Amino acid sequence: MGKLVELWTKQLSIGIEDIDNQHLRLFEIMEEVITIIQKGGDDLLVMKTISSLMGYTLEHFTLEEYIMEKAEYPEVEAHSLLHKEFSDQLIKIKISFQEKSSPNEQLEKDIHKLLADWLRSHIREADGDYASFVQSKA
Ligand SMILES: [Fe+2]
């Protein structure tokens, strides 16, 4: 597995600077979680980092949803459901770590997949779509 932050490319930029920065930060925190797990960091630190990832995710989604609502973007509800899907995945990852119900390699894979597949296509498609809408209104 390559480094997660390297999966961030200019192509993922949606043209709203704050959001682009937050996306990159999400990549970084997800990378941090994986690195700590790989290094065999203690459980408390892993849990703390997963919690900050969840907190940051919430903050990020709240900002996106605010931007969409303000611009009266018609797909805001469908988009929010996608955000919920991502948050649910994170909760699942946190619970399996807490309960030690899957091996750490599996968790690393799950986090990697969530970022490399889900988040990247979400940014390219769903976020790209609301960004064009917002920009066309501005
Ligand atoms: Fe989004």
Side-chain angles (χ1 to χ4, degrees):
M1 273 189 280
K3 280 194 158 272
L4 282 175
V5 284
E6 284 166 10
L7 294 174
W8 171 265
T9 64
K10 279 266 177 279
Q11 280 163 316
L12 288 178
S13 164
I14 63 165
I16 302 173
E17 207 187 340
D18 286 349
I19 298 296
D20 285 343
N21 291 336
Q22 289 190 347
H23 284 153
L24 179 58
R25 184 69 193 126
L26 277 178
F27 279 44
E28 287 170 351
I29 311 177
M30 287 170 95
E31 173 109 70
E32 234 172 278
V33 176
I34 292 187
T35 308
I36 295 167
I37 294 175
Q38 281 171 343
K39 282 186 182 157
D42 70 20
D43 288 2
L44 192 65
L45 184 60
V46 176
M47 288 306 294
K48 263 189 177 168
T49 317
I50 295 178
S51 297
S52 31
L53 173 61
M54 291 169 84
Y56 195 77
T57 300
L58 181 68
E59 194 184 308
H60 168 64
F61 287 164
T62 305
L63 177 60
E64 281 197 336
E65 287 162 25
Y66 171 77
I67 292 172
M68 287 186 261
E69 270 160 27
K70 217 177 112 193
E72 292 171 335
Y73 176 61
E75 306 292 328
V76 58
E77 232 165 278
H79 195 125
S80 306
L81 278 177
L82 296 174
H83 287 169
K84 193 183 173 304
E85 198 181 288
F86 184 87
S87 307
D88 287 348
Q89 291 295 321
L90 281 185
I91 293 172
K92 267 194 204 154
I93 288 172
K94 192 181 184 193
I95 292 173
S96 25
F97 183 80
Q98 260 168 334
E99 293 177 346
K100 304 264 168 250
S101 54
S102 38
N104 283 351
E105 296 85 67
Q106 186 57 48
L107 285 179
E108 288 168 32
K109 274 189 201 154
D110 290 346
I111 297 171
H112 199 277
K113 197 169 179 308
L114 193 57
L115 186 143
D117 297 345
W118 198 101
L119 188 56
R120 280 200 305 172
S121 47
H122 177 79
I123 293 173
R124 268 196 303 255
E125 292 155 27
D127 291 347
D129 194 70
Y130 88 73
S132 323
F133 182 85
V134 169
Q135 282 149 349
S136 72
K137 280 194 107 183

